[in-house]
Amino acid sequence: MGWGSLWRIARRDLSARIRGLRLLVVCLFLGVATLAAIGSLTASITEELSRRGQTILGGDIEIGIAQREASDAELKAFAAAGTVSETVRLRAMAIGPDGSDSILAELKAIDGTYPLYGKLLLQGGTVAKAPKDGEIYVGQTLADRFNLATGGSVRFGEAAFKVAGVIAEEPDRLGEGFTLGPVALVSLASLDGTKLIQPGSMFESKYRIKLPASADPEAIAKSLEQQFPSAGWDITDRSNGAPGTRRFIERMGQFLTLVGLAALVIAGIGVGNGVGSYLESKRAGIATLKVTGADSGIIFRIYMLQIFAVAAVAILVGLAVGSVMPMAIGWIAGDILPVAPGFTLHPLPLIVSAVYGLLIAFAFALPPLARARTVPAAGLYRSVVEGSSRVDRRTAIWVTASIAAIVALAVGTAREPIFSLGFIGAAFALLVLLALIAWGMRAIALRLPRPKAPLPRLALANLHRPGSHTQALVIALGLGLTLFVTLAAIQTSINNEIQNSVPERAPSFFALDIPREQTEEFSAMVRKEAPDAEINLIPSLRGTIVEFGGQRVDQLEELPEGAWVLNGDRGLTYSPQVPEGSEVIAGEWWPADYKGPALVSLDIRVAESLGVGVGDSLTVSVLGVEIPTKIGSLREVKWENFGLNYALVFSPGTFDAAPHSMVATLTVPAEAERALAKSIPPAFPSSSLIEVGEVVSQVTVLLQQMAQAIAAAASIAILAGIAVLVGAIAAARQSRVYDSVIMKLLGATRRQILGAQALEYAIRAAVLGLVALALGLGAGWYVIVQIFDFTFAPDPATLAWTLIGGAGLTFALGMLGSLPILAARPAEALRSL
């Protein structure tokens, strides 16, 4: 029989009763739409970052230099490459017009050629260049804080500025990275009048270069690095204008993609249940076709055509919805996303999502199709009481090949293949474990003594009798409850991380850029307002690691995984004693009066990422000068204590020749905070005062957004899990109708039948509740500790209510699925067998 004839039979049969495949449609749609949306969103953002690379970066090449300006030789090399724009960026206190209020701001001085790319826009649509001497452009937040408008005034350091406009768009805002306050722009010529930059002040000079159209930015960047190997630059080209943002988007995209793939795999189980239920309803038709001469191949092809036709529609609808979701997400998220994703079709994520959907449909639909193909006609008629779980060897090979293709696709398209492989392995192990638990539950139920009461006896028999759907129900219920517990553990741990980010005795302020010669005066002013204040003053510099363990950083093809200290300049300090919040765990701390060669104490996790230990070399570049040291000790740093924690602490005398300032933490009573916030900025104009509450609020927002993203992705998996449970209940409906009819003929009431099924579901829920608690806690721990590096601290009460609620929901779904069974009429049901 040709494919045309087979399709006509399949189409006629499908048009007569398609409702049996609704679960297939729902499951595939959920999974494919999720994957397509995540892939399209990630591709949209990364493409937008690449497209706007020059504008985001502010040039074709950017050179960042900490605590100094470029030398004449460096400036000459920059100018030889192309047009140069210079900016200086630092944190400074903005003081309001009447001097009674102040706020930490990001002050940025720009030259006449800024911006090289993009437009600096002021409110009202004015395109601007650098403000005139004595004038300033302010961000909207700063204008709102001081009620500023054009013509108003604001003070930075020792200079007062006239507001010449409110910033509507700063073209390189995203490339500037994380900020702790609103931005304000002045001219480079005006910066000197503020007296904010003193020896040792924390500031960053940036030089953007606009290259000729034919120039290769990467090659020129490497050439500049080779000309000045010890300069300690942080150099970036336009291909990666916001590297931190790109890394975060790509990693979060990979994580969400794996969550979406897990949802699709879970949905695949629903596909299998849906197909099995559909073919169960077609049992009489399949048997009739076989009796009238149709062989197994014809049966297989007819129903495979039906299933793939429906699957193709579900996948296409899922792709259509997933392709437009980035626009909707961008509209809902607003400013949360780094760039607004536009509507652009990205073929690769859509193709990958479609392939995933087809492979999942094939892998999970094949076993029930094979059973319908291989079971004889008489066996099909008897299957309602005998059940059938036989899968032939050829089917097993095809299913294995499909699963292998899914794994290969997931690993091959992943940014971190090992991580992806581990995630898939864990998901597969979970399915295997649940299948083993189902087998164990059936085996135990079979060997337990039979209760004398009829309802418990019937409930126990339903767990192991022929035709029982224990395995499908256990997998569905176990997945659903595990997902509920995992999400609750992640959410409550992140909430606890937010609450515990500030310890009970967290400092009130961070003070930056305190002149060394004015430390006593600074302390005296603090104690005048708060006599019992706790003041912790330490020196602070910025530097770049240029060598570690005999390896030059500029000669590495790729930075080691987790070596964040090699990305740009880092905070450095020196101390005769072990800093508060640190514990030496390897090597020895130097004596308080140490006068020997320069040593450094390294955070243990940083040392592990660099692959170095006590005695290895480490060289830092400070103000363009390389300072070689040896690692004297390794420390465990308590980063969560909100103290002055540094990954690199050097021995006294290491930076004697380098100008630097001091930083401090101030712990004062609440009633003194407002007074200090008013008095310190005018008295120490070059210093910056950071309120811990502002930092906490920004960290809180970031963590909450992360939790919301995880919850949104996990909700899709939960919906898929619920769909799987519904499918499992639907697949068991036919055999339960048979049981219900026989029991009614023997005199059982509806209440007794419902009671037996309720007891059966309660047994499953009780056993799987404990399993889901262990599995969900394990999965939550991995996400919180291994991926996000937070403390795993789930709330027991929330977990308990989540487990009870999840079990209650699945129990309710099971009972709702039983109502149509109770309504079955014996005569009608028996005629349909």
Side-chain angles (χ1 to χ4, degrees), residues 484-716:
F484 279 126
V485 173
T486 301
L487 182 58
I490 292 173
Q491 289 278 43
T492 55
S493 290
I494 290 179
N495 290 337
N496 286 330
E497 184 76 16
I498 294 172
Q499 295 173 4
N500 297 330
S501 292
V502 184
E504 293 182 3
R505 289 294 294 166
S508 308
F509 297 100
F510 295 124
L512 310 178
D513 290 333
I514 305 168
R516 278 195 294 172
E517 63 276 7
Q518 293 183 282
T519 54
E520 292 184 5
E521 182 182 346
F522 179 86
S523 299
M525 176 168 283
V526 173
R527 296 199 185 281
K528 179 181 177 181
E529 302 290 349
D532 298 329
E534 296 180 13
I535 305 172
N536 181 25
L537 276 159
I538 66 171
S540 179
L541 305 90
R542 302 292 294 184
T544 305
I545 297 176
V546 295
E547 178 271 336
F548 63 94
Q551 304 177 79
R552 295 286 303 187
V553 176
D554 58 358
Q555 295 177 1
L556 296 175
E557 293 185 2
E558 186 176 355
L559 296 182
E561 179 68 25
W564 55 268
V565 292
L566 302 181
N567 292 316
D569 61 291
R570 302 259 70 85
L572 313 175
T573 190
Y574 57 87
S575 175
Q577 296 91 23
V578 179
E580 294 181 12
S582 292
E583 179 183 355
V584 177
I585 59 175
E588 295 183 357
W589 195 262
W590 43 80
D593 58 350
Y594 181 77
K595 302 293 184 183
L599 298 174
V600 62
S601 178
L602 210 57
D603 172 50
I604 180 64
R605 283 177 287 187
V606 170
E608 290 173 350
S609 67
L610 297 179
V612 296
V614 175
D616 288 332
S617 64
L618 187 141
T619 304
V620 293
S621 174
V622 178
L623 300 175
V625 178
E626 290 194 5
I627 302 174
T629 67
K630 292 287 185 181
I631 299 175
S633 63
L634 303 179
R635 292 169 296 119
E636 184 174 0
V637 182
K638 297 180 180 178
W639 296 98
E640 69 277 5
N641 69 357
F642 258 70
L644 294 173
N645 298 311
Y646 284 79
L648 293 87
V649 179
F650 293 81
S651 59
T654 303
F655 304 116
D656 283 349
H660 56 275
S661 59
M662 307 292 287
V663 298
T665 57
L666 309 177
T667 306
V668 300
E671 57 271 15
E673 291 182 2
R674 183 64 179 167
L676 285 174
K678 287 184 178 181
S679 61
I680 288 181
F684 296 88
S686 64
S687 302
S688 302
L689 203 62
I690 303 174
E691 294 185 32
V692 169
E694 293 182 2
V695 179
V696 172
S697 64
Q698 292 199 36
V699 172
T700 299
V701 170
L702 180 63
L703 292 178
Q704 287 176 342
Q705 290 171 357
M706 190 183 301
Q708 290 168 2
I710 295 171
S715 64
I716 302 297

